[in-house]
Amino acid sequence: MNYNNIILESNNFIATIIINRPNKLNALNTETISEINHALSTAEKDKNIRVIIITGAGDKAFIAGADISEFANFDVEKGYDLSLNGHQNLCDFIENLSKPVIAAINGFALGGGLELAMSCHIRLASDNAKMGLPEVSLGVIPGYGGTQRLANLVGKGKALEMISTASMISAEQALNCGLVNDICNQEELILNCEKIASKISRNSPNAISSAIKSINAGFIDGVNGYEVEKKEFGKCFGTSDFKEGTKAFLEKRKPNFRK
Ligand code: COA
């Protein structure tokens, strides 16, 4: 498929999605969201892809939020639908993907851009990155899951401070409060993400998918994460990955997980 707003590349089990609207600081309009969803679905089905990296084109922005020009005239109903689409087709979709998604935050990650990054499984930021949820400065609140995911990542107090002041924090502050896993200089960002992706891609895709399900379960109201873990653990024993992983260990060789 030809995309208008993103670039999808793949190499060595890694798919990279580049949000490609640098003149608009990679702001997310509806078409971009559906293209990201399509690219993720394609990567998820592709047996040659084991990890996905998402980044922004250019050296200024990861994603500077939802496209404000698109929703400035929306009413209550359309506002709700905008949020629903951002939840279902973007952030919940990423969080529940069976393959790990790494956010390579290469500049501004604001509003929906930070919400997208927070729905990724791993976040690395370049040292010039600036992150925030400035929606209240526009008269709205974060609507793609940001009120929940930010509080889960940095705690309720820090989340309320960031959201109500609409301020941005630096990459170093983001690292200190647990919003990102690591920071590095911009030139090394993709390489460092690829190093993590490459380590992941050597492990069992089945087991990684079970780990994502089990960890996510602990954050869903009414779901017992420990119970999900027991079921997923048991299921692993029925997979060819488990047979290969344990066999390889006993034969003192590296496992070769199936494609
Ligand atoms: N939606 C739509 N367009 C956006 C955008 C967004 N979220 N963020 C940036 N842009 C556009 C600007 O309108 C501008 O377009 P133009 O050249 O056609 O006028 C272009 O991207 C460059 O942005 P600009 O504001 O000129 O860059 P800057 O370096 O002066 O400021 C920011 C950078 C990120 C501080 C500023 O663009 C900003 O505050 N963006 C909005 C952030 C936000 O509120 N996001 C949450 C949305 S819910």
Side-chain angles (χ1 to χ4, degrees):
M1 164 152 173
N2 286 330
Y3 297 117
N4 295 322
N5 307 278
I6 65 168
I7 298 166
L8 174 62
E9 295 170 347
S10 51
N11 193 22
N12 286 335
F13 292 123
I14 304 167
T16 303
I17 298 173
I18 303 162
I19 317 302
N20 191 29
R21 301 183 75 212
N23 296 339
K24 295 290 171 192
L25 303 187
N26 305 320
L28 296 171
N29 57 11
T30 312
E31 190 183 41
T32 308
I33 292 178
S34 68
E35 288 184 1
I36 297 170
N37 180 286
H38 186 276
L40 288 166
S41 307
T42 306
E44 189 170 42
K45 282 182 217 126
D46 186 341
K47 288 207 157 65
N48 290 314
I49 298 300
R50 296 189 177 180
V51 189
I52 297 130
I53 296 172
I54 301 182
T55 195
D59 55 10
K60 191 169 169 184
F62 173 66
I63 299 166
D67 192 321
I68 299 166
S69 66
E70 210 180 46
F71 64 75
N73 297 322
F74 278 12
D75 59 14
V76 172
E77 206 175 311
K78 282 188 173 167
Y80 178 82
D81 289 345
L82 179 72
S83 176
L84 189 66
N85 182 48
H87 277 262
Q88 286 180 342
N89 296 320
L90 190 66
C91 294
D92 292 356
F93 193 80
I94 292 173
E95 190 167 65
N96 293 307
L97 212 75
S98 60
K99 299 179 178 180
V101 185
I102 303 175
I105 305 171
N106 58 314
F108 288 114
L110 302 174
L114 182 56
E115 291 178 295
L116 184 154
M118 290 192 293
S119 69
C120 292
H121 305 105
I122 296 170
R123 281 163 293 285
L124 258 68
S126 55
D127 46 19
N128 66 316
K130 292 250 184 291
M131 285 158 257
L133 294 180
E135 285 88 346
V136 298
S137 70
L138 299 167
V140 286
I141 62 167
Y144 294 176
T147 60
Q148 308 304 300
R149 290 194 181 92
L150 186 62
N152 279 338
L153 283 165
V154 306
K156 193 174 160 190
K158 184 75 190 163
L160 259 164
E161 182 193 326
M162 283 178 65
I163 291 173
S164 58
T165 60
S167 343
M168 298 182 207
I169 61 170
S170 66
E172 201 169 321
Q173 287 170 315
L175 180 65
N176 289 339
C177 68
L179 184 53
V180 298
N181 298 46
D182 208 354
I183 57 177
C184 62
N185 64 47
Q186 199 171 34
E187 295 72 49
E188 290 173 338
L189 180 65
I190 294 298
L191 189 67
N192 287 345
C193 288
E194 286 172 350
K195 279 185 190 161
I196 296 176
S198 160
K199 276 191 185 174
I200 293 171
S201 70
R202 290 196 284 273
N203 296 318
S204 153
N206 253 316
I208 289 169
S209 161
S210 284
I212 292 174
K213 251 192 221 165
S214 304
I215 294 170
N216 282 350
F219 292 85
I220 305 170
D221 256 355
V223 175
N224 185 325
Y226 292 100
E227 291 306 319
V228 173
E229 182 188 277
K230 285 176 211 161
K231 283 196 189 113
E232 290 299 320
F233 182 80
K235 266 172 38 188
C236 289
F237 285 70
T239 65
S240 54
D241 279 11
F242 172 73
K243 287 185 182 69
E244 167 61 10
T246 47
K247 195 163 174 269
F249 177 82
L250 296 171
E251 291 171 359
K252 300 192 186 305
R253 61 171 173 84
K254 287 202 162 70
N256 183 12
F257 294 110
R258 89 269 173 275
K259 279 194 184 172

